[in-house]
């Protein structure tokens, strides 16, 4: 009987943070002969991902509380046993002493509890919470009880808990930024995944992910800085939460004399919440831009500009900050978009379907809106309309865009802005589909993101190109600036050397990708 | 090291029975016979309190006797030349004495290593390592940097010795009124 080319071990009731798991998996891949290495919690989503990675999961009975270590090899049969056994042993050694992590010693004592931290820093007024979602709400309540504003980085917080903590915070005049808030900017200081952009007169209220990052970057490209970027979490403007924190943040920024232009952006709120926000902004009598991507509100009025896209929002806000005409800035931008048709011609039209592979949720949403107007319905795991939901997020159908930052991909795994390997594999998988004509993706830079995402994606692109030849055009946008740790120009160079068509914004990339397939 | 112990890194070859003479003036003292003046500044209570968690994190064997306040059962408990139980008791003794309280246990001869017995005897007599004294001085102050620096210095001491000592100190400073 031939020996298996895989080995799977389950470690029961064991939890490691996802950064450790990624570092160990990466280290195992450096071992000669290991072709695939996966360390993930036994969630349903991770079973699917491992299955699509070629693992035979028959008989594997891990629960979401168990760690699965899985390794595959492509060495000849006689060498497999020892290699796989050695790789599993190595994985356990690395877990005990994770590679690339600084030893927790040799310096000043760092408090491990909230009370301890407040003893050392009694003037602190903001806590960043990054713990497993089911505990995060209680930790947040504890912080609010101690008078701290909260950045809730954790996801998977139940919506009832979100409402509870936001109501408690609102009563005390505190902010809860999140849950699932990856980015905030306080007085020009970025926390979480954020770009190295200048400080300036604009302030932003956003769901707090890549929408905020994209507008932050687009403002910087126009020479305008940001003072505050307040994340509220994507669910805040839904009916269940009622926009509690969005309104709290809007009112705080309207009252701040240093804020010259207010920008509120994100996916469309519930209609009644959108109305409340619009009324609050209008009452503030401050130049303002609402950028609800694909929102219901239409028509600029009373000094408030209504935008439907992220770059448009930034272009109008930048013009207002410079004392220029916001409407004219928008017209100029849309004229530039028209010139993308010529670029599509130059690249060469392709036939088939568009496949978008995103790390940013708002970018994916915006990409769908733009591509839908040009190509028709787009399927997604986060679709514009329910009926366009992909049955299986790992299998594209017709025109599809997948948000890899959704919970299904991040439970017990790193966010795709940190670990690009899943998307790199998917790029290759999509290229094997003969009906695919364009692959579109985002590259998000900044503090906290992968230190070289373009290089991480490059392997997938090379394999895709060798599988598909010239049949597929690759289009990307880079959400970042040259002052970011990854250097946007350097990332662009890596992608362009591979023949990827890189655009200045997600709105442009989505348009160009769709235009290449148009007609 | 302590009042009656020296840390000697290397010795020349010695014959059995050969005497060694130590010149005190040539030895770097790391031990102080007196605890510092002052009391813990209550602003550090939250920080000191978290040091008790070292028991749950990495000194599980000590937890059960600590919960039962069976102090003498801690003597000699744990591996090493100064078992973690003795480090804990030493920290607790220093904390109790520093706050002007009596220490509710006495070393039982022969229950632990010679070195550890010496350490406990010195702690009960009010002696203290310099680095631990610096922490107590910092805890009487308003200086966060002095506290985190001196606590870090102790937390890194030995395999578990420093953290066991901090857990004992925390027990004395944050729980003494309930016990």
């Amino acid at each position: 009987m031939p020996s298996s080319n895989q080995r799977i071990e389950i470690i029961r009731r064991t939890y490691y943070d996802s950064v450790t798991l990624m570092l160990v998996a990466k280290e195992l891949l450096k071992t000669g002969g290991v072709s695939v290495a996966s360390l993930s919690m036994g969630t349903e989503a991770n079973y699917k991902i491992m299955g699509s990675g070629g693992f035979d999961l028959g008989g594997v009975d891990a629960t979401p509380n168990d760690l699965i270590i899985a390794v595959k090899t492509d060495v000849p049969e006689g060498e497999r046993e020892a290699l796989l056994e050695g790789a599993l042993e190595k994985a356990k050694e690395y877990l005990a002493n994770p590679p690339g992590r600084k030893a927790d010693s040799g310096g000043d004592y760092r408090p491990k509890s909230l009370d301890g931290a407040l003893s050392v820093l009694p003037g602190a007024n903001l806590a960043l919470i990054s713990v497993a979602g089911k505990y995060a709400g209680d930790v947040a309540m504890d912080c609010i009880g101690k008078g701290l504003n909260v950045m809730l980085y954790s996801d998977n917080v139940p919506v009832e808990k979100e409402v509870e903590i936001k109501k408690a915070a609102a009563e005390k005049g505190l902010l809860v930024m999140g849950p699932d808030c990856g980015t905030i900017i306080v007085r020009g200081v970025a926390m979480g995944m954020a770009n190295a952009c200048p400080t300036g007169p604009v302030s932003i209220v956003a769901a707090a992910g890549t929408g905020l990052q994209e507008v932050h970057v687009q403002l910087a490209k126009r020479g305008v800085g940001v003072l505050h970027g307040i994340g509220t979490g994507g669910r805040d403007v839904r009916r269940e939460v009622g926009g509690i924190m969005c309104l709290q943040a809007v009112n705080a920024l309207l009252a701040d004399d240093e804020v010259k232009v207010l920008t509120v952006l994100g996916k469309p709120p519930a209609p009644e919440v959108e109305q409340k926000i619009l009324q609050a902004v209008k009452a503030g009598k401050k130049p303002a831009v609402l950028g609800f991507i694909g929102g219901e509100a239409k028509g600029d009025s009373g000094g408030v500009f209504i935008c439907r896209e992220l770059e448009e929002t930034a272009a109008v806000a930048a013009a207002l900050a410079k004392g220029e005409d916001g409407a004219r800035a928008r017209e100029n931008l849309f004229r530039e978009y028209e010139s993308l048709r010529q670029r599509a011609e130059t690249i060469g039209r392709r036939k088939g379907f568009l496949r978008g592979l995103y790390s940013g949720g708002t970018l994916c949403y915006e990409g769908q809106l733009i591509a839908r107007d040009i190509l028709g319905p787009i399927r997604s795991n986060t679709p514009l309309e329910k009926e366009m939901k992909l049955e299986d997020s790992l299998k594209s159908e017709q025109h599809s865009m997948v948000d890899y930052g959704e919970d299904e991909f991040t439970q017990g795994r790193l966010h795709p802005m940190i670990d690009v390997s899943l998307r790199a594999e998917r790029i290759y998988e999509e290229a094997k589909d003969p009906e695919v004509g364009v692959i579109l993706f985002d590259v998000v830079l900044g503090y906290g993101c992968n230190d070289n995402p373009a290089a991480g994606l490059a392997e997938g692109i090379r394999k895709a190109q060798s599988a598909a030849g010239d049949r597929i055009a690759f289009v990307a946008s880079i959400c970042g600036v040259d002052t970011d740790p990854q250097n946007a120009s350097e990332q662009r160079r890596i992608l362009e050397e591979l023949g990827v068509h890189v655009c200045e914004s997600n709105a442009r990339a989505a348009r160009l990708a769709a235009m290449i397939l148009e007609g | 090291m302590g009042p009656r112990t020296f840390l000697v890194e290397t010795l020349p070859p010695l014959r059995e029975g050969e005497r060694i003479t130590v010149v005190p003036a040539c030895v770097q003292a790391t031990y102080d016979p007196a605890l510092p003046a002052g009391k813990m500044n209550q602003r550090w209570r939250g920080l000191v309190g978290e040091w008790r968690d070292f028991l749950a994190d990495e000194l599980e064997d000590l937890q059960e006797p600590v919960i039962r306040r069976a102090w003498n059962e801690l003597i000699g408990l744990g591996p090493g030349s100064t078992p973690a139980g003795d480090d804990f008791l030493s920290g607790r003794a220093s904390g109790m004495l520093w706050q002007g309280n009596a220490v509710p246990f006495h070393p039982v001869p022969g229950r632990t290593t010679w070195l550890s017995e010496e350490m406990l005897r010195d702690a009960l007599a009010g002696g203290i390592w310099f680095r631990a004294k610096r922490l107590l001085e910092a805890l009487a102050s308003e200086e966060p940097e002095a506290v985190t620096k001196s606590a870090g210095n102790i937390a890194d001491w030995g395999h578990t010795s420093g953290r066991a000592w901090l857990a004992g100190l925390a027990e004395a400073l944050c729980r003494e009124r309930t016990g």
Side-chain angles (χ1 to χ4, degrees):
Chain A
M1 192 175 136
S3 67
S4 170
N5 68 341
Q6 70 169 39
R7 190 63 60 87
I8 294 176
E9 186 161 327
I10 300 166
I11 305 183
R12 304 280 175 196
R13 304 191 65 76
T14 298
Y15 178 84
Y16 287 90
D17 68 273
S18 42
V19 174
T20 298
L21 298 182
M22 181 192 73
L23 289 171
V24 174
K26 271 188 169 177
E27 211 60 32
L28 289 179
L29 286 172
K30 291 181 191 165
T31 311
V34 175
S35 56
V36 187
S38 164
L39 285 90
S40 51
M41 304 306 288
T43 61
E44 198 182 324
N46 286 337
Y47 270 84
K48 274 190 185 175
I49 291 167
M50 288 174 66
S52 73
F55 283 104
D56 174 4
L57 298 169
V60 175
D61 62 349
T63 73
N65 294 319
D66 302 330
L67 171 67
I68 305 175
I69 306 175
V71 285
K72 271 184 85 168
T73 182
D74 44 19
V75 301
E77 204 178 325
E79 300 166 29
R80 285 179 191 167
E81 190 71 21
L83 188 133
L84 291 170
E85 200 55 46
L88 282 180
E89 280 311 307
K90 203 170 248 185
K92 286 183 230 168
E93 278 170 32
Y94 285 143
L95 285 171
N97 189 15
R101 287 230 140 160
K102 287 177 192 159
D104 186 17
S105 64
D108 289 0
Y109 180 80
R110 299 179 71 176
K112 292 169 177 59
S113 67
L114 183 58
D115 285 339
L118 286 171
S119 295
V120 175
L121 206 59
N125 65 359
L126 171 67
L128 191 160
I129 298 173
S130 176
V131 298
K134 61 181 170 183
Y135 308 114
D138 290 338
V139 178
M141 282 301 271
D142 200 9
C143 291
I144 292 161
K146 293 179 194 307
L148 297 168
N149 296 287
V150 167
M151 177 185 180
L152 197 45
Y153 187 84
S154 311
D155 56 6
N156 299 307
V157 175
V159 70
E160 305 77 36
K161 196 73 188 178
E162 178 176 349
V163 173
E164 182 190 337
I165 59 180
K166 286 187 169 175
K167 280 184 175 168
E171 276 176 22
K172 289 189 154 200
L174 297 170
L175 289 170
V176 172
M177 295 173 273
D180 201 10
C181 173
T183 308
I184 66 165
I185 301 151
V186 179
R187 296 205 67 80
V189 177
M191 293 176 72
M193 294 159 173
N195 302 91
C197 297
T199 303
V202 176
S203 284
I204 304 169
V205 181
T210 43
L212 197 158
Q213 280 190 262
E214 176 78 339
V215 172
H216 196 201
V217 162
Q218 293 300 331
L219 284 163
K221 286 181 177 178
R222 289 163 174 80
V224 174
V226 168
L227 185 63
H228 301 297
I230 307 295
T232 63
R235 289 188 307 217
D236 188 77
V237 293
R238 289 193 196 163
R239 186 169 291 116
E240 307 94 289
V241 187
I244 302 171
M245 278 302 135
C246 184
L247 289 163
Q248 178 108 334
V250 162
N251 289 326
L253 295 176
L254 286 172
D256 185 338
D257 290 339
E258 287 184 77
V259 176
K260 303 302 178 198
V261 178
L262 174 64
T263 302
V264 186
L265 61 97
K267 292 179 193 172
E272 65 269 31
V273 177
E274 187 168 12
Q275 276 309 309
K276 276 193 214 168
I277 296 167
L278 190 56
Q279 281 166 15
V281 170
K282 278 184 178 168
K285 302 192 186 320
K286 195 172 263 193
V289 189
L290 295 194
F292 292 131
I293 312 310
E296 293 293 315
K298 287 180 180 65
D300 308 332
S301 70
V304 179
F305 286 81
I306 308 290
C307 298
R308 285 171 56 84
E309 296 178 15
L310 296 167
E311 188 179 16
E312 176 197 1
T313 304
V316 173
L320 296 178
K322 292 175 183 171
E324 295 169 3
D325 184 342
R328 181 161 297 166
R330 177 192 279 144
E331 284 167 23
N332 291 341
L333 180 69
F334 280 93
R335 259 198 296 278
E336 285 180 40
Y337 287 168
E338 276 309 306
S339 69
L340 289 168
R341 280 218 159 71
Q342 183 54 49
R343 190 172 171 190
E345 289 290 347
T346 309
I347 291 166
R349 303 279 181 181
R350 301 295 203 278
K351 289 196 170 85
F353 294 120
L354 169 64
R355 298 288 156 83
L357 303 172
Y358 276 96
S359 61
T362 308
L363 298 181
C364 183
Y365 196 84
E366 182 186 54
Q368 289 179 66
L369 270 171
I370 292 168
R372 183 187 63 179
D373 288 350
I374 300 170
L375 296 174
I378 308 289
R379 284 163 175 75
S380 176
N381 59 336
T382 54
L384 301 177
E385 297 100 15
K386 278 181 190 162
E387 57 272 26
M388 287 295 115
K389 188 161 176 65
L390 282 170
E391 204 168 299
D392 180 348
S393 304
L394 294 170
K395 286 188 185 136
S396 299
E397 300 165 40
Q398 302 183 47
H399 297 305
S400 296
M401 291 195 186
V402 178
D403 172 12
Y404 270 82
E406 272 293 289
D407 286 354
E408 61 185 309
F409 290 111
T410 59
Q411 284 174 353
R413 270 191 171 271
L414 276 180
H415 194 279
M417 277 152 55
I418 305 169
D419 179 3
V420 299
S421 61
L422 272 186
R423 282 200 305 154
E425 285 166 27
R426 182 73 176 265
I427 286 173
Y428 174 47
E429 289 303 314
E430 295 292 354
K432 288 193 277 188
D433 180 346
E435 291 194 304
V436 173
V438 173
I439 293 178
L440 165 70
F441 58 94
D442 62 351
V443 178
V444 181
L445 310 183
Y447 302 113
C449 297
N450 185 293
D451 57 9
N452 194 348
L457 292 165
E459 189 53 31
I461 296 166
R462 279 193 205 99
K463 281 163 72 179
Q465 286 169 331
S466 65
D470 195 38
R471 169 170 54 85
I472 295 176
F474 294 87
V475 179
S477 65
I478 294 176
C479 177
V481 291
D482 285 355
T483 40
D484 281 329
Q486 302 88 346
N487 188 326
S489 294
E490 177 59 17
Q491 294 292 300
R492 187 180 188 120
R493 185 191 62 75
I494 293 169
L495 294 175
E496 286 183 339
E497 279 181 7
L498 289 165
V500 177
H501 304 287
V502 181
C503 296
E504 286 296 318
S505 70
N506 180 57
R508 290 173 202 245
R511 275 188 174 80
L512 179 64
M515 286 170 177
I516 290 172
L517 293 168
E518 201 177 18
Chain B
M1 285 174 77
R4 293 168 303 282
T5 56
F6 295 94
L7 176 66
V8 181
E9 289 180 358
T10 53
L11 284 173
L14 298 169
R15 288 189 304 277
E16 192 175 342
E18 191 172 355
R19 292 175 73 88
I20 303 168
T21 305
V22 176
V23 182
C26 300
V27 175
Q28 185 191 358
T30 58
Y31 207 84
D32 195 303
L35 288 161
K39 298 241 175 193
M40 181 174 79
N41 184 329
Q42 287 303 307
R43 71 168 278 183
W44 307 118
R45 201 172 173 83
L47 183 72
V48 173
E50 75 176 37
W51 296 339
R52 289 192 311 237
D53 293 343
F54 288 133
L55 293 183
D57 291 346
E58 51 190 316
L59 301 162
E60 274 183 334
D61 291 349
L62 275 57
Q63 263 192 307
E64 204 260 334
V66 168
I67 290 166
R68 287 192 289 112
R69 309 180 78 74
W71 310 119
N72 280 350
E73 288 181 28
L74 289 167
I75 297 173
L77 187 61
S81 52
T82 61
D86 299 330
D87 292 315
F88 177 92
L89 290 173
S90 174
R92 188 163 193 278
S94 295
M96 298 295 280
L97 293 170
W98 185 44
Q99 298 303 283
N101 297 320
V103 180
F105 59 86
H106 301 282
V108 181
R111 287 272 296 274
T112 187
T113 64
W114 168 83
L115 180 62
S116 219
E117 222 169 273
E118 291 285 301
M119 177 184 77
L120 273 175
R121 191 167 68 159
D122 295 336
L124 285 161
I128 190 164
W129 304 99
F130 277 154
R131 61 175 122 189
K133 186 173 183 178
R134 278 194 288 274
L135 174 62
L136 298 189
E137 286 166 347
L139 289 175
S141 78
E142 285 278 349
E143 301 298 326
E145 279 180 22
V147 171
T148 54
K149 192 174 167 58
S150 52
N153 200 3
I154 294 176
D156 291 342
W157 163 23
H159 181 56
T160 54
S161 286
R163 292 184 293 283
W165 191 92
L166 286 172
L169 180 73
E171 188 71 23
L173 299 183
C174 297
R175 279 241 182 105
E176 63 187 64
R177 275 174 280 186
T178 61

